[in-house]
């Protein structure tokens, strides 16, 4: 439900203005998708997915992307 809320509210000015703690926190959390098998938050949330693509393309996010998940615990 929270992801649906973010999808509906991601266009708020505080999520599209200058980079802030809320944007950093959400961007980092969503960026863990490849490391969590079976977690696909993008389906049915086009606004949130579009927002994430923009923030994930920022040089600071590109430079700090977590390494790929290799398995194990």
């Amino acid at each position: 439900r929270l992801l649906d809320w973010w999808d509906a509210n991601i266009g708020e000015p505080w999520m599209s203005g200058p980079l802030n703690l809320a944007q950093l926190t959400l961007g980092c959390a969503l960026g863990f998708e490849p490391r969590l098998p079976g977690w696909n938050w993008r389906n049915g949330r086009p606004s949130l997915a579009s927002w994430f693509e923009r923030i994930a393309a920022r040089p600071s996010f590109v430079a700090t992307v977590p390494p790929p998940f290799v398995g194990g615990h």
Side-chain angles (χ1 to χ4, degrees):
R1 292 185 312 201
L2 188 54
L3 289 168
D4 293 335
W5 184 90
W6 277 112
D7 188 60
N9 292 283
I10 202 69
E12 294 295 321
W14 51 275
M15 290 306 288
S16 59
L19 192 61
N20 60 46
L21 189 55
Q23 294 173 31
L24 287 171
T25 302
L26 182 60
C28 289
L30 296 176
F32 274 97
E33 179 185 23
R35 298 179 63 83
L36 301 170
W39 187 48
N40 184 359
W41 58 263
R42 298 169 196 253
N43 285 345
R45 299 180 185 96
S47 298
L48 188 57
S50 177
W51 176 87
F52 178 74
E53 293 305 319
R54 289 191 305 276
I55 200 166
R58 294 178 61 97
S60 58
F61 272 76
V62 172
T64 58
V65 69
F69 181 72
V70 213
H73 293 56

